[in-house]
Amino acid sequence: QRSPMADSAFFTPLNHEALLAVRGPDAAKFLQGQLTCNLNYLDERTSSLGARCTPKGRMISSFRIVQDGDGYLLALASELLEAQLADLKKYAVFSKSSLADESAVWARFGVSGGDGALVSLGLDLPQQADAVARANGLIAIRLPGGRAELWAPAAQADSLQARLAAQLPEAPLNDWLLGQVRAGIGQVFGATRELFIPQMINLQALGGVSFKKGCYTGQEIVARMQYLGKLKRRLYRLALIDGPLPEPGSALFSPVHASSVGEVVLAALRAAYGAVPVVGGAANGRPTSSRWLPRRSVPSCWKDACPPARVCGSNSGPWLSFSRAPASSPRAVLNSRRACSASTWRPWLRSPA
């Protein structure tokens, strides 16, 4: 069960990710031809989300990238690191750059609602998403929703954790992942490798895709989808009424469709809810341009099909409020192929038998 901390200030170690370092005189040039984000926009005060794609535009990793010294640090799912290192090293031999696993060199913490703790560490972090503040070897990165990532040299890990614990309660990783779900930040894991193009997890809406930079692997497919294609799958939020927490890549089914309507991108547990965020496909196959599905775009079948549910507005999009809700439920980010094709579509999904 999730603790109540997810709705209050807390910190948590980010031990589910690894750090890939690319360093050297040609590090920026080398990565510019490999990644979806534009490294020309990165500096000591700015970070970015990004991805690395196959020639067909499918993401083989997603990450947060930060400039550090003579190179860059990429935080990505731990299970992807070994394959990414081996693959990138094949191309790095043609440039003056080196790659290494620096996961043991750094300690990383997620901080939610803890700006006071950051200030006590000498870090005056701006509120703008992706902003970076540095002090005494520490790196703080702003995330949406009043959250921040705090990176520190491994030698400072114990003392830093103690200072954070003196000001904030420590929460499980689930609470941090719940914040990622709420912010609409998807991520590629081992089970979802080569499953999505960047737009399918709304990466372009979070600044993780540049359409003004030069060529990179997969750029033609990604750009064509942006300007000429018709995206039929997009990231939305979903609350499951019951059942176990779905793993990333799990296929999801609606009661009226024999085939999968989408896959889980990221999921976390949430306790005792009254308002449940909606996750589904683009209405009638037409993706919206905003990060969240606006209330006016909610398909009529979502509103009419299920009497116990009602649609209500909020700052972050449409929500469903259920008259009967269990004490806890999984909450997930889903990549969906379609919203509904029948008036009997229900705003909950079931796992295959």
Side-chain angles (χ1 to χ4, degrees):
Q1 299 294 319
R2 185 187 66 82
S3 73
M5 294 182 190
D7 297 315
S8 60
F10 67 86
F11 83 96
T12 187
L14 301 181
N15 49 23
H16 65 304
E17 293 179 332
L19 281 181
L20 190 159
V22 182
R23 302 186 181 278
D26 292 342
K29 181 180 179 181
F30 168 66
L31 288 176
Q32 189 77 328
Q34 295 287 332
L35 312 180
T36 60
C37 54
N38 194 337
L39 271 68
N40 292 332
Y41 297 157
L42 297 188
D43 54 32
E44 291 285 316
R45 299 179 298 277
T46 308
S47 69
S48 178
L49 294 173
R52 184 164 176 260
C53 301
T54 68
K56 294 183 178 181
R58 299 279 169 167
M59 293 186 295
I60 50 180
S61 68
S62 65
F63 50 80
R64 178 167 293 279
I65 183 169
V66 178
Q67 191 179 78
D68 179 63
D70 64 342
Y72 299 87
L73 297 171
L74 289 75
L76 68 164
S78 297
E79 64 266 31
L80 299 177
L81 178 66
E82 185 176 350
Q84 289 297 286
L85 266 176
D87 197 26
L88 284 169
K89 283 181 178 179
K90 298 176 183 178
Y91 304 99
V93 295
F94 302 106
S95 65
K96 296 179 181 179
S97 58
S98 60
L99 292 87
D101 176 3
E102 292 195 7
S103 304
V105 179
W106 294 85
R108 299 173 57 243
F109 300 91
V111 179
S112 180
D115 281 10
L118 297 180
V119 171
S120 71
L121 296 170
L123 295 162
D124 185 11
L125 184 60
Q127 293 298 318
Q128 181 180 354
D130 300 328
V132 175
R134 301 169 188 262
N136 305 316
L138 305 177
I139 303 174
I141 306 163
R142 176 64 69 191
L143 274 66
R147 299 179 304 136
E149 289 188 11
L150 180 58
W151 300 16
Q156 301 183 37
D158 292 341
S159 60
L160 179 60
Q161 185 164 357
R163 293 184 66 178
L164 290 174
Q167 302 178 65
L168 298 168
E170 183 173 348
L173 178 62
N174 176 85
D175 290 8
W176 180 260
L177 297 180
L178 179 60
Q180 295 290 84
V181 172
R182 286 171 167 167
I185 300 177
Q187 185 175 3
V188 176
F189 294 94
T192 54
R193 188 175 183 268
E194 296 189 36
L195 189 57
F196 309 121
I197 66 170
Q199 290 96 326
M200 290 180 183
I201 67 166
N202 289 4
L203 190 62
Q204 83 291 349
L206 298 169
V209 181
S210 172
F211 298 102
K212 297 181 179 180
K213 63 179 286 186
C215 294
Y216 59 88
T217 304
Q219 181 262 349
E220 182 179 357
I221 303 299
V222 175
R224 183 183 299 166
M225 178 59 70
Q226 186 72 12
Y227 296 115
L228 302 175
K230 184 177 181 181
L231 186 64
K232 297 181 179 179
R233 304 174 66 187
R234 191 176 288 271
L235 193 72
Y236 296 109
R237 294 184 294 183
L238 162 77
L240 297 177
I241 298 306
D242 54 24
L245 186 71
E247 294 292 330
S250 299
L252 297 177
F253 296 78
S254 79
V256 296
H257 294 303
S259 59
S260 168
V261 297
E263 296 84 21
V264 172
V265 177
L266 181 65
L269 285 174
R270 175 175 181 243
Y273 63 89
V276 183
V278 175
V279 174
N284 300 319
R286 295 190 296 272
T288 67
S289 58
S290 62
R291 183 178 306 176
W292 301 114
L293 186 66
R295 189 181 183 201
R296 64 181 178 272
S297 299
V298 178
S300 60
C301 60
W302 289 11
K303 303 176 185 178
D304 303 334
C306 182
R310 62 182 176 85
V311 174
C312 56
S314 76
N315 292 334
S316 59
W319 298 72
L320 289 181
S321 179
F322 289 89
S323 58
R324 295 187 184 91
S328 64
S329 73
R331 184 176 181 184
V333 171
L334 154 77
N335 183 279
S336 178
R337 294 187 179 91
R338 57 191 165 194
C340 57
S341 60
S343 60
T344 56
W345 189 88
R346 297 293 191 271
W348 59 81
L349 302 179
R350 63 176 174 82
S351 299

